Coordinates of all heavy atoms in Angstrom, one line a residue:
M1 N 110.6 78.8 101.2 CA 110.1 79.6 100.0 C 111.1 80.8 99.8 O 111.4 81.5 100.8 CB 108.7 80.0 100.3 CG 108.1 80.8 99.1 SD 106.5 81.3 99.3 CE 106.8 82.9 100.2
L2 N 111.4 81.0 98.6 CA 112.1 82.2 98.2 C 111.3 82.9 97.1 O 110.8 82.3 96.2 CB 113.5 81.8 97.5 CG 114.4 82.8 97.0 CD1 114.9 83.7 98.1 CD2 115.5 82.2 96.2
C3 N 111.1 84.2 97.3 CA 110.2 84.9 96.4 C 110.6 86.3 96.2 O 111.4 86.9 97.0 CB 108.7 84.9 96.9 SG 108.5 85.8 98.5
S4 N 110.1 86.9 95.1 CA 110.5 88.3 94.8 C 109.5 89.2 95.6 O 108.5 88.8 96.2 CB 110.3 88.5 93.3 OG 108.9 88.4 92.9
D5 N 109.9 90.5 95.5 CA 109.1 91.5 96.2 C 107.7 91.7 95.6 O 106.8 92.2 96.2 CB 109.8 92.9 96.3 CG 110.0 93.5 94.9 OD1 110.0 92.8 93.9 OD2 110.3 94.7 94.9
G6 N 107.5 91.1 94.4 CA 106.1 91.1 93.9 C 105.2 90.3 94.7 O 104.0 90.6 94.7
L7 N 105.7 89.4 95.4 CA 104.8 88.6 96.3 C 104.9 89.1 97.7 O 103.8 89.6 98.3 CB 105.3 87.1 96.4 CG 104.3 86.2 97.2 CD1 103.2 85.7 96.3 CD2 105.1 85.1 97.8
W8 N 106.0 89.2 98.3 CA 106.1 89.6 99.8 C 105.8 91.1 100.0 O 105.4 91.5 101.0 CB 107.4 89.2 100.4 CG 108.7 89.8 99.9 CD1 109.6 89.2 99.0 CD2 109.2 91.1 100.1 NE1 110.6 90.1 98.7 CE2 110.4 91.3 99.4 CE3 108.8 92.2 100.9 CZ2 111.2 92.4 99.4 CZ3 109.6 93.4 100.9 CH2 110.8 93.5 100.2
G9 N 105.9 91.9 98.9 CA 105.6 93.3 99.0 C 104.1 93.6 98.8 O 103.7 94.7 99.1
T10 N 103.4 92.6 98.3 CA 102.0 92.8 98.0 C 101.1 92.1 99.0 O 100.1 92.7 99.5 CB 101.7 92.3 96.6 OG1 102.6 92.9 95.7 CG2 100.2 92.5 96.2
L11 N 101.5 90.9 99.5 CA 100.7 90.2 100.4 C 101.3 90.3 101.8 O 102.5 90.5 102.0 CB 100.7 88.7 100.1 CG 100.2 88.3 98.7 CD1 100.2 86.8 98.4 CD2 98.7 88.8 98.5
S12 N 100.5 90.2 102.8 CA 100.9 90.3 104.2 C 101.6 89.0 104.6 O 101.4 87.9 104.0 CB 99.8 90.5 105.2 OG 98.9 89.3 105.3
D13 N 102.5 89.1 105.6 CA 103.2 87.9 106.1 C 102.2 86.9 106.6 O 102.4 85.7 106.4 CB 104.2 88.3 107.2 CG 105.4 89.1 106.8 OD1 105.6 89.1 105.6 OD2 106.1 89.6 107.7
D14 N 101.1 87.3 107.2 CA 100.1 86.4 107.8 C 99.4 85.6 106.6 O 99.2 84.4 106.8 CB 99.0 87.2 108.5 CG 99.5 87.8 109.8 OD1 100.5 87.2 110.4 OD2 98.9 88.7 110.4
E15 N 99.2 86.3 105.5 CA 98.5 85.6 104.4 C 99.4 84.5 103.8 O 99.0 83.4 103.5 CB 98.1 86.6 103.3 CG 97.3 85.9 102.2 CD 96.8 86.9 101.2 OE1 97.0 88.2 101.4 OE2 96.1 86.5 100.2
I16 N 100.7 84.9 103.7 CA 101.7 83.9 103.1 C 101.8 82.7 104.0 O 101.8 81.6 103.6 CB 103.0 84.6 102.9 CG1 102.9 85.7 101.8 CG2 104.1 83.6 102.5 CD1 104.1 86.6 101.7
V17 N 102.0 83.0 105.3 CA 102.2 81.9 106.3 C 100.9 81.0 106.4 O 101.0 79.8 106.4 CB 102.5 82.5 107.7 CG1 102.5 81.4 108.8 CG2 103.9 83.1 107.7
R18 N 99.7 81.7 106.3 CA 98.5 80.9 106.4 C 98.4 79.9 105.2 O 98.0 78.8 105.4 CB 97.3 81.9 106.5 CG 96.0 81.2 106.6 CD 94.8 82.1 106.7 NE 94.7 83.1 105.6 CZ 95.0 84.4 105.8 NH1 95.2 84.9 107.0 NH2 94.9 85.2 104.8
D19 N 98.6 80.4 104.0 CA 98.5 79.6 102.9 C 99.6 78.4 102.9 O 99.2 77.3 102.6 CB 98.7 80.4 101.6 CG 97.4 80.9 101.0 OD1 96.4 80.9 101.7 OD2 97.4 81.2 99.8
L20 N 100.8 78.7 103.3 CA 101.8 77.7 103.3 C 101.6 76.7 104.4 O 102.0 75.5 104.4 CB 103.2 78.3 103.5 CG 103.7 79.0 102.2 CD1 105.0 79.8 102.5 CD2 103.9 78.0 101.1
S21 N 100.9 77.1 105.5 CA 100.6 76.2 106.6 C 99.4 75.3 106.4 O 99.3 74.2 106.9 CB 100.3 77.1 107.9 OG 101.5 77.8 108.2
N22 N 98.5 75.8 105.6 CA 97.2 75.1 105.4 C 97.1 74.3 104.1 O 96.1 73.5 103.9 CB 96.0 76.0 105.5 CG 95.9 76.6 106.9 OD1 96.1 76.0 107.9 ND2 95.5 77.9 107.0
K23 N 98.0 74.5 103.2 CA 98.0 73.8 101.9 C 99.3 73.2 101.6 O 100.4 73.6 102.1 CB 97.6 74.8 100.8 CG 96.3 75.5 100.9 CD 96.2 76.5 99.9 CE 94.9 77.3 100.1 NZ 94.8 78.5 99.2
V24 N 99.3 72.2 100.7 CA 100.6 71.6 100.2 C 101.2 72.7 99.3 O 100.5 73.5 98.8 CB 100.4 70.3 99.5 CG1 100.0 69.2 100.5 CG2 99.5 70.4 98.3
V25 N 102.5 72.7 99.2 CA 103.2 73.7 98.4 C 102.7 73.8 97.0 O 102.6 74.9 96.5 CB 104.8 73.4 98.5 CG1 105.5 74.3 97.5 CG2 105.3 73.6 99.9
S26 N 102.4 72.7 96.4 CA 102.0 72.7 95.0 C 100.6 73.4 94.8 O 100.2 73.8 93.7 CB 101.9 71.3 94.4 OG 101.0 70.5 95.2
E27 N 99.9 73.6 95.9 CA 98.6 74.3 95.8 C 98.8 75.7 96.4 O 98.1 76.7 95.9 CB 97.5 73.6 96.7 CG 97.1 72.2 96.1 CD 96.1 71.5 97.0 OE1 95.7 72.0 98.0 OE2 95.8 70.3 96.6
A28 N 99.6 75.9 97.4 CA 99.7 77.2 98.1 C 100.4 78.2 97.1 O 100.0 79.3 97.0 CB 100.5 77.0 99.4
V29 N 101.5 77.8 96.5 CA 102.3 78.7 95.7 C 101.5 79.3 94.5 O 101.4 80.5 94.4 CB 103.6 78.1 95.2 CG1 104.3 78.9 94.1 CG2 104.5 77.8 96.4
P30 N 100.8 78.5 93.7 CA 100.0 79.1 92.6 C 98.9 80.1 93.2 O 98.6 81.1 92.6 CB 99.3 77.9 91.9 CG 100.2 76.8 92.2 CD 100.8 77.0 93.6
H31 N 98.3 79.7 94.3 CA 97.3 80.6 94.9 C 97.9 81.9 95.4 O 97.4 83.0 95.2 CB 96.6 79.9 96.1 CG 95.6 80.7 96.8 ND1 95.8 81.4 98.0 CD2 94.3 81.0 96.4 CE1 94.8 82.1 98.3 NE2 93.8 81.8 97.4
L32 N 99.1 81.8 96.0 CA 99.8 83.0 96.5 C 100.2 83.9 95.3 O 100.0 85.2 95.4 CB 101.0 82.7 97.3 CG 100.8 82.1 98.7 CD1 102.1 81.5 99.3 CD2 100.2 83.2 99.6
V33 N 100.7 83.3 94.2 CA 101.1 84.1 93.0 C 99.8 84.8 92.5 O 99.9 86.0 92.2 CB 101.7 83.2 92.0 CG1 101.9 84.0 90.6 CG2 103.1 82.7 92.5
E34 N 98.7 84.1 92.3 CA 97.5 84.7 91.8 C 97.0 85.8 92.7 O 96.6 86.9 92.2 CB 96.4 83.7 91.6 CG 95.2 84.2 90.9 CD 94.2 83.2 90.5 OE1 94.5 82.0 90.4 OE2 93.0 83.6 90.3
S35 N 97.1 85.6 94.0 CA 96.6 86.6 94.9 C 97.5 87.9 94.8 O 96.9 89.0 94.9 CB 96.7 86.1 96.4 OG 95.7 85.0 96.5
A36 N 98.8 87.7 94.7 CA 99.7 88.8 94.6 C 99.4 89.6 93.3 O 99.4 90.8 93.3 CB 101.1 88.4 94.7
L37 N 99.2 88.9 92.2 CA 99.0 89.6 90.9 C 97.6 90.3 91.0 O 97.6 91.5 90.5 CB 99.0 88.6 89.8 CG 100.3 88.0 89.4 CD1 100.2 86.8 88.5 CD2 101.3 89.0 88.9
R38 N 96.6 89.7 91.6 CA 95.3 90.4 91.7 C 95.4 91.6 92.6 O 94.9 92.7 92.3 CB 94.3 89.5 92.2 CG 93.9 88.4 91.2 CD 92.8 87.5 91.7 NE 92.5 86.4 90.9 CZ 91.6 86.4 89.9 NH1 90.9 87.5 89.7 NH2 91.4 85.4 89.1
A39 N 96.1 91.5 93.7 CA 96.3 92.6 94.7 C 97.1 93.7 94.1 O 96.8 94.9 94.3 CB 96.9 92.1 96.0
G40 N 98.1 93.4 93.3 CA 98.9 94.4 92.6 C 98.2 95.1 91.5 O 98.6 96.3 91.2
G41 N 97.2 94.5 91.0 CA 96.4 95.1 89.9 C 97.2 95.4 88.7 O 98.2 94.7 88.3
E42 N 96.8 96.5 88.0 CA 97.4 96.9 86.7 C 98.9 97.2 86.8 O 99.6 97.1 85.9 CB 96.6 98.1 86.3 CG 96.9 98.7 85.0 CD 95.9 99.8 84.6 OE1 94.7 99.6 84.6 OE2 96.4 100.9 84.3
H43 N 99.3 97.7 88.0 CA 100.7 98.1 88.2 C 101.5 97.0 89.0 O 102.5 97.3 89.6 CB 100.8 99.4 88.9 CG 100.0 100.5 88.2 ND1 100.5 101.0 87.0 CD2 98.8 101.0 88.5 CE1 99.6 101.9 86.6 NE2 98.6 102.0 87.5
S44 N 101.1 95.8 88.9 CA 101.7 94.7 89.6 C 103.2 94.5 89.1 O 103.5 94.6 88.0 CB 100.9 93.4 89.3 OG 101.5 92.3 90.0
D45 N 104.0 94.2 90.1 CA 105.4 93.9 89.8 C 105.5 92.4 89.4 O 104.5 91.7 89.6 CB 106.2 94.1 91.1 CG 107.7 94.1 90.9 OD1 108.2 94.0 89.7 OD2 108.5 94.3 91.8
N46 N 106.6 92.0 88.9 CA 106.7 90.6 88.6 C 106.6 89.8 89.9 O 107.0 90.2 90.9 CB 108.0 90.3 87.8 CG 109.2 90.4 88.7 OD1 109.4 91.4 89.5 ND2 110.2 89.5 88.6
V47 N 106.1 88.6 89.8 CA 105.9 87.7 91.0 C 106.6 86.4 90.7 O 106.3 85.7 89.8 CB 104.4 87.4 91.3 CG1 104.3 86.5 92.5 CG2 103.7 88.7 91.6
T48 N 107.7 86.1 91.4 CA 108.5 84.9 91.2 C 108.6 84.2 92.5 O 108.9 84.8 93.6 CB 109.9 85.3 90.7 OG1 109.8 86.1 89.6 CG2 110.8 84.1 90.4
V49 N 108.4 82.9 92.5 CA 108.4 82.1 93.7 C 109.1 80.8 93.5 O 108.8 80.1 92.5 CB 107.0 81.8 94.3 CG1 107.0 81.0 95.6 CG2 106.2 83.1 94.5
L50 N 110.0 80.4 94.4 CA 110.6 79.1 94.4 C 110.3 78.5 95.8 O 110.7 79.1 96.8 CB 112.1 79.2 94.1 CG 112.9 78.0 94.2 CD1 112.5 77.0 93.1 CD2 114.4 78.3 94.1
A51 N 109.7 77.3 95.8 CA 109.4 76.7 97.1 C 109.6 75.2 97.0 O 109.4 74.6 95.9 CB 108.0 77.0 97.5
M52 N 109.9 74.6 98.1 CA 110.0 73.2 98.2 C 109.5 72.7 99.5 O 109.5 73.4 100.5 CB 111.4 72.7 97.9 CG 112.4 73.1 99.0 SD 114.1 72.6 98.5 CE 114.1 71.0 99.1
E53 N 109.0 71.4 99.5 CA 108.5 70.8 100.7 C 109.3 69.6 101.0 O 109.6 68.8 100.1 CB 107.0 70.4 100.4 CG 106.3 69.9 101.6 CD 104.8 69.8 101.3 OE1 104.5 69.4 100.2 OE2 104.0 70.0 102.2
W54 N 109.8 69.4 102.2 CA 110.7 68.3 102.5 C 109.9 67.4 103.4 O 109.3 67.8 104.4 CB 111.9 68.8 103.3 CG 112.9 67.8 103.5 CD1 113.0 66.9 104.5 CD2 114.0 67.5 102.6 NE1 114.1 66.1 104.4 CE2 114.7 66.4 103.2 CE3 114.4 68.0 101.4 CZ2 115.9 65.9 102.6 CZ3 115.6 67.4 100.8 CH2 116.3 66.4 101.4
E55 N 109.9 66.1 103.1 CA 109.1 65.1 103.9 C 110.1 64.0 104.2 O 110.9 63.6 103.4 CB 108.0 64.6 103.1 CG 107.0 65.6 102.7 CD 105.8 65.0 102.0 OE1 105.4 63.8 102.2 OE2 105.2 65.7 101.1
T56 N 109.9 63.4 105.4 CA 110.6 62.2 105.8 C 109.9 61.0 105.2 O 108.7 61.0 105.0 CB 110.7 62.1 107.3 OG1 109.4 62.1 107.9 CG2 111.5 63.3 107.9
P57 N 110.7 59.9 104.9 CA 110.1 58.8 104.3 C 108.9 58.2 105.0 O 107.9 57.7 104.4 CB 111.2 57.8 104.2 CG 112.5 58.6 104.2 CD 112.1 59.8 105.1
D58 N 109.0 58.2 106.4 CA 107.9 57.6 107.1 C 106.6 58.5 107.1 O 105.5 58.0 107.4 CB 108.3 57.3 108.6 CG 108.8 58.5 109.3 OD1 109.2 59.5 108.6 OD2 108.7 58.5 110.6
A59 N 106.7 59.7 106.8 CA 105.5 60.6 106.7 C 105.2 61.0 105.3 O 104.3 61.8 105.1 CB 105.8 61.9 107.5
F60 N 105.8 60.3 104.3 CA 105.5 60.6 102.9 C 104.1 60.3 102.5 O 103.6 59.2 102.7 CB 106.5 59.9 102.0 CG 106.4 60.2 100.6 CD1 106.9 61.4 100.1 CD2 105.8 59.4 99.7 CE1 106.8 61.8 98.8 CE2 105.6 59.7 98.4 CZ 106.1 60.9 97.9
E61 N 103.5 61.3 101.9 CA 102.2 61.1 101.3 C 102.3 61.6 99.8 O 103.1 62.4 99.5 CB 101.1 61.9 102.0 CG 100.9 61.4 103.4 CD 99.8 62.2 104.1 OE1 99.0 62.8 103.5 OE2 99.8 62.2 105.4
S62 N 101.4 61.2 99.0 CA 101.4 61.7 97.6 C 101.1 63.1 97.6 O 99.9 63.5 97.8 CB 100.5 60.8 96.8 OG 100.5 61.4 95.5
T63 N 102.0 64.0 97.2 CA 101.8 65.4 97.1 C 102.2 65.9 95.7 O 102.6 67.0 95.5 CB 102.5 66.2 98.1 OG1 103.9 65.9 98.0 CG2 102.0 65.9 99.5
R64 N 102.2 65.0 94.7 CA 102.6 65.2 93.4 C 104.0 65.7 93.3 O 104.5 66.4 92.4 CB 101.7 66.3 92.7 CG 100.3 65.8 92.5 CD 99.4 66.8 91.9 NE 99.1 67.8 92.9 CZ 98.4 68.9 92.7 NH1 98.0 69.2 91.5 NH2 98.1 69.7 93.7
G65 N 104.8 65.3 94.3 CA 106.2 65.6 94.3 C 107.0 64.5 93.7 O 106.5 63.5 93.2
V66 N 108.3 64.6 93.7 CA 109.3 63.7 93.2 C 110.1 63.1 94.3 O 110.7 63.8 95.1 CB 110.2 64.3 92.2 CG1 111.2 63.3 91.7 CG2 109.4 64.9 91.0
S67 N 110.1 61.8 94.5 CA 110.9 61.1 95.5 C 112.3 60.8 95.0 O 112.5 60.4 93.9 CB 110.2 59.8 95.9 OG 111.0 59.1 96.8
T68 N 113.3 61.0 95.9 CA 114.6 60.7 95.5 C 115.1 59.4 96.2 O 116.3 59.1 96.2 CB 115.6 61.8 96.0 OG1 115.5 62.1 97.4 CG2 115.3 63.1 95.2
D69 N 114.2 58.7 96.8 CA 114.5 57.4 97.5 C 115.2 56.4 96.6 O 116.0 55.6 97.1 CB 113.2 56.8 98.1 CG 112.7 57.6 99.3 OD1 113.5 58.4 99.9 OD2 111.5 57.4 99.7
S70 N 114.8 56.4 95.4 CA 115.4 55.3 94.5 C 116.7 55.7 93.8 O 117.3 55.0 93.1 CB 114.4 55.0 93.4 OG 114.1 56.1 92.6
I71 N 117.2 56.9 94.1 CA 118.4 57.4 93.5 C 119.6 56.8 94.3 O 119.6 56.9 95.5 CB 118.5 58.9 93.5 CG1 117.4 59.5 92.6 CG2 119.9 59.4 93.0 CD1 117.4 61.0 92.6
M72 N 120.6 56.3 93.6 CA 121.7 55.6 94.3 C 122.6 56.7 94.9 O 122.7 57.8 94.4 CB 122.5 54.8 93.3 CG 121.7 53.6 92.7 SD 122.5 52.7 91.5 CE 123.9 52.0 92.4
D73 N 123.3 56.4 95.9 CA 124.2 57.3 96.6 C 125.3 57.9 95.7 O 125.9 57.5 94.9 CB 124.9 56.6 97.8 CG 123.9 56.4 98.9 OD1 122.9 57.2 99.0 OD2 124.2 55.5 99.8

């Protein structure tokens, strides 16, 4: 995950790690962004997040992600 100080400056490291550990990225990131905006309140900084989840083919489950398995070399 790569994010602006609007997220990491507002939320604790423990909260960020807990969300990313307990949820899939597509659920954790929107929740973290909303939490940071709410915690920042009226004077909230911009909150920008880029995150990705890497899965091996044998452990792949549907996480609303995009598979590159069918792309030719």
Side-chain angles (χ1 to χ4, degrees):
M1 182 180 83
L2 177 66
C3 64
S4 67
D5 63 341
L7 185 88
W8 63 259
T10 306
L11 302 179
S12 71
D13 291 347
D14 290 339
E15 185 174 358
I16 295 169
V17 170
R18 182 177 53 249
D19 268 20
L20 288 172
S21 297
N22 294 324
K23 300 175 183 169
V24 295
V25 170
S26 61
E27 293 174 5
V29 170
H31 180 259
L32 288 168
V33 169
E34 185 172 339
S35 295
L37 290 170
R38 288 181 188 271
E42 183 175 305
H43 303 288
S44 180
D45 193 1
N46 69 317
V47 178
T48 305
V49 180
L50 174 66
M52 63 184 276
E53 186 172 37
W54 190 270
E55 298 181 31
T56 59
D58 57 337
F60 182 77
E61 294 180 23
S62 177
T63 57
R64 294 180 282 176
V66 176
S67 173
T68 58
D69 289 341
S70 61
I71 296 176
M72 298 175 63
D73 288 337

